[in-house]
Amino acid sequence: MLFFSATLCVIAGILFVMTYIKSKRIQRLEEVRNHIARDLHDDIGATLTSISFFTQAALTKLKLDKVEDAQHIISQTGNTAREAIGNMNDIVWFINPNNDQLKALFSRIEDHARKLFAERGITFYFYYKDDEMNTMLDIEQRKHLYLICKEAITNAAKYAQCKNVELLVERKYIMIRDDGLGFDIEQAPQGNGLLNMKVRAHQLGAQFSLKSTPGKGTTVKLDFDHPHKR
Amino acid sequence: MSLRICIFDDSHSILQAFKLMTDDDANMEVVGSFLNTNSLLKNIDKTNPDVLIMDIDMGASNGIEAVKEIRKVYLELPILMFTVFDDDDNVFNAICAGANGYLLKNTDPETILQSIEQVQSGGAPMSPGVARRIVQKFQALTSKPVAANYELTTREKEILKCLTNGLSYKMVAAECGISFETVRTHIKNIYSKLHVASMTEAVAKAINERIV
């Protein structure tokens, strides 16, 4: 009898834990979905708003016969719209469950980098081990990792004036290194790029580091070995 | 004198768009554009704006938290929220934090420029859906059945009313013509009758349950 009750208790306990884990997972999925919806709304909403403002500004310029200014604004509107298309592409890509392997993520990053660097005559090196590339990532992880790498790559392409950029993917860390101008971190303007990279790294559970010396290039590193706990 | 506007938004293009849109407007001038709320008070102090335009979700920065920070120092500076979010939480939290207006990003440019002038001259411009939400919330609050009056005396109610108006103990004493110590005693009694432990709780209860 005692044995019977004990068994029953254990089964009830297991069932309870399983239900709990399942409900937690559903809750987590829900959170991720809400997050993505919010981000999408905020990103695309802001871009479309600015396009609406730009057209208003261009109309005003035309009324005042400032044709050149108007032309400039209209071309800006085009750029902004294209930017929105790019961001939208990214978001749809994050959501697609076919892209849940590290391999898919880095092939997208590689495409982005090669295109950007080719336009500027920068040589791009990409080092990775095939067997490290099967790691599975959830939507949020893909998004954070992709946007950190994209930011670092864009910065190298636009500001570093470098000749070579390396992207290293190891089991314990990811590193993006250029041989460009470098900058004084203390003096750098505090834009959102750097701040967002830090926040995203934190949410990935990785340690973010940025090393730069004037004249000696810049290194961005995501370290998964000494993680910040979520 | 043109209106000095300061904008906080994590979108480069929004900041740029505001600048372009006010470019030929003799009545308005963008004096500050910031991508986040780092050095918030310093930036406001430096640019000395007449109106603030504040996004809510700015990555690492949050516009509602920023409004709370600003209100600790600038009680009167008109703040216009400018966001894509129209959910109840954001709307009410922003208004409660001290925002004076709440516009959605789908508002047409002309209305936005008008709203900036409105908020500066003491108005509270809201996008239509947002205004309706606030009215509904208000109606829900006031249609609540009146709760027990907790047997507060007339004097205690009077003092509680003063507290909800934001008066300090000293000011309450002056207002009611009684001593500071007496005010403290009354307030102690009010706390125990309302079963609360702090002034904020007392004030919240007084307003929510329409005690005063």
Side-chain angles (χ1 to χ4, degrees):
Chain A
M1 191 59 199
L2 189 67
F3 173 75
F4 184 66
S5 319
T7 316
L8 212 64
C9 279
V10 169
I11 292 174
I14 292 174
L15 278 177
F16 175 77
V17 170
M18 276 167 62
T19 321
Y20 178 77
I21 291 174
K22 196 176 169 197
S23 81
K24 274 277 158 204
R25 205 173 46 210
I26 292 173
Q27 201 182 338
R28 161 99 182 121
L29 256 176
E30 190 89 336
E31 270 170 33
V32 167
R33 209 175 290 165
N34 280 337
H35 227 118
I36 289 177
R38 270 184 80 89
D39 274 5
L40 178 68
H41 196 182
D42 199 33
D43 270 13
I44 307 297
T47 320
L48 294 177
T49 306
S50 22
I51 290 175
S52 142
F53 283 16
F54 284 144
T55 52
Q56 173 77 18
L59 282 174
T60 311
K61 296 283 185 198
L62 284 178
K63 268 184 214 152
L64 297 169
D65 265 337
K66 297 181 175 173
V67 177
E68 229 167 88
D69 284 358
Q71 280 170 341
H72 183 76
I73 294 173
I74 291 168
S75 100
Q76 176 72 37
T77 314
N79 287 339
T80 308
R82 282 183 284 278
E83 202 180 291
I85 297 170
N87 291 344
M88 184 78 106
N89 253 328
D90 283 348
I91 293 169
V92 171
W93 190 90
F94 299 139
I95 297 172
N96 187 342
N98 291 334
N99 302 322
D100 58 1
Q101 282 196 0
L102 206 56
K103 195 187 286 178
L105 181 82
F106 275 102
S107 111
R108 187 172 175 88
I109 292 172
E110 190 185 1
D111 284 350
H112 173 73
R114 294 225 182 269
K115 186 166 159 252
L116 212 57
F117 290 138
E119 288 165 6
R120 294 169 171 79
I122 300 167
T123 317
F124 177 62
Y125 303 90
F126 180 29
Y127 303 105
Y128 64 95
K129 293 198 186 85
D130 246 343
D131 53 337
E132 308 289 0
M133 284 299 192
N134 299 323
T135 313
M136 305 288 270
L137 301 170
D138 70 22
I139 299 178
E140 288 276 278
Q141 291 170 322
R142 314 202 257 282
K143 186 179 85 179
H144 291 315
L145 198 50
Y146 177 76
L147 291 177
I148 293 170
C149 293
K150 189 177 174 184
E151 177 76 24
I153 286 167
T154 310
N155 287 345
K158 285 194 176 161
Y159 310 115
Q161 299 188 29
C162 52
K163 290 196 175 66
N164 303 288
V165 175
E166 280 178 359
L167 168 59
L168 260 86
V169 182
E170 289 275 342
R171 201 162 68 86
K172 294 285 185 193
Y173 67 89
I174 292 168
M175 195 158 87
I176 296 163
R177 188 160 55 190
D178 72 57
D179 59 355
L181 289 178
F183 59 95
D184 185 345
I185 296 171
E186 299 293 314
Q187 301 287 314
Q190 281 293 312
N192 276 359
L194 191 56
L195 207 67
N196 286 343
M197 282 202 274
K198 274 185 200 161
V199 173
R200 290 187 192 288
H202 184 80
Q203 280 169 353
L204 273 175
Q207 188 165 315
F208 175 84
S209 73
L210 176 97
K211 290 204 180 73
S212 189
T213 324
K216 288 192 178 152
T218 303
T219 303
V220 169
K221 192 172 169 190
L222 279 178
D223 203 328
F224 295 90
D225 208 17
H226 309 282
H228 281 294
K229 284 283 167 247
R230 237 199 237 237
Chain B
M1 264 294 275
S2 66
L3 207 78
R4 300 168 63 83
I5 307 168
C6 201
I7 304 153
F8 294 86
D9 199 307
D10 66 336
S11 152
H12 266 293
S13 38
I14 290 269
L15 297 181
Q16 203 188 359
F18 262 109
K19 228 179 169 104
L20 284 171
M21 212 170 44
T22 51
D23 226 9
D24 301 295
D25 194 330
N27 301 319
M28 267 178 223
E29 184 189 359
V30 175
V31 292
S33 314
F34 304 98
L35 284 164
N36 52 50
T37 58
N38 298 349
S39 318
L40 175 68
L41 297 176
K42 217 168 81 190
N43 284 334
I44 295 175
D45 184 56
K46 228 168 38 195
T47 50
N48 187 28
D50 299 314
V51 173
L52 278 192
I53 296 173
M54 183 68 74
D55 186 17
I56 290 186
D57 194 340
M58 291 178 269
S61 315
N62 179 286
I64 295 175
E65 293 307 314
V67 173
K68 286 184 195 160
E69 284 303 303
I70 294 165
R71 280 290 173 254
K72 286 182 192 160
V73 185
Y74 300 91
L75 300 178
E76 303 288 338
L77 181 61
I79 304 176
L80 186 57
M81 302 311 284
F82 189 54
T83 168
V84 295
F85 299 118
D86 63 349
D87 55 296
D88 285 2
D89 278 354
N90 275 315
V91 170
F92 299 131
N93 289 339
I95 299 294
C96 291
N100 306 91
Y102 198 107
L103 285 192
L104 297 179
K105 282 191 173 161
N106 63 9
T107 312
D108 67 280
E110 216 151 303
T111 310
I112 287 163
L113 296 178
Q114 283 166 6
S115 301
I116 294 173
E117 282 172 357
Q118 258 176 39
V119 78
Q120 197 265 338
S121 54
M126 307 265 165
S127 291
V130 172
R132 172 65 64 88
R133 281 275 190 38
I134 292 173
V135 170
Q136 278 169 351
K137 177 86 171 177
F138 188 74
Q139 285 164 343
L141 273 182
T142 50
S143 62
K144 249 191 209 165
V146 178
N149 66 358
Y150 296 100
E151 294 175 27
L152 294 177
T153 64
T154 321
R155 186 55 123 185
E156 284 163 356
K157 273 190 192 165
E158 190 186 345
I159 288 168
L160 191 54
K161 174 94 185 140
C162 290
L163 292 183
T164 60
N165 288 336
L167 268 56
S168 69
Y169 285 19
K170 250 190 206 158
M171 285 145 85
V172 174
E175 178 82 14
C176 301
I178 51 178
S179 79
F180 186 75
E181 273 313 308
T182 316
V183 172
R184 280 175 49 120
T185 315
H186 278 308
I187 286 173
K188 219 186 278 167
N189 292 336
I190 293 173
Y191 283 13
S192 95
K193 283 182 182 176
L194 294 183
H195 307 293
V196 299
S198 73
M199 173 132 90
T200 342
E201 258 181 273
V203 168
K205 204 159 189 172
I207 293 171
N208 283 333
E209 306 195 12
R210 297 206 301 146
I211 297 169
V212 295

